[in-house]
Amino acid sequence: MDNASRLADVMRRPGMYGIATLEHAMMFVGGFDAATEFTFLEGFGKWLAAKGAGGENQTWMSLVTRMIGRHPGESRRGDVDEESLNLFFGLVRGFLDERRKMWADPAPGKFEPRGP
């Protein structure tokens, strides 16, 4: 299973991977990114900042919490945690979809893959 398929499975069934809260999801996705030498989410922070989440000098985790309006580790009801997960995974999916399209037809100033 390739990385995109694996992450799609995690987003579809987070409970199967022990993910029940926004904090768990962000840690899992952050670890996933680290395992790919930080190439999987390359540009995610800039993308979030461009969407109005804040400045590019913040971590993508901080920008996500601003966009979602919730903070990891806060005590939440189960339905609110599920909503936070859906919002977060929606952001990740949106970013990956947009980046995939841009890499297929890159325009000046857009996210570009790393060079050799």
Side-chain angles (χ1 to χ4, degrees), residues 7-74:
L7 192 58
D9 190 52
V10 170
M11 289 191 272
R12 189 173 45 258
R13 305 177 312 163
M16 294 290 294
Y17 293 86
I19 298 170
T21 66
L22 177 59
E23 182 177 32
H24 293 160
M26 290 197 308
M27 292 299 121
F28 185 92
V29 171
F32 195 89
D33 189 38
T36 63
E37 297 182 7
F38 301 99
T39 59
F40 195 73
L41 290 180
E42 184 176 2
F44 189 42
K46 287 183 180 184
W47 183 82
L48 291 168
K51 297 283 184 195
E56 290 182 25
N57 62 333
Q58 298 176 34
T59 67
W60 65 260
M61 290 180 184
S62 175
L63 296 171
V64 164
T65 58
R66 282 176 175 239
M67 289 190 84
I68 292 176
R70 292 178 176 79
H71 299 281
E74 287 183 7

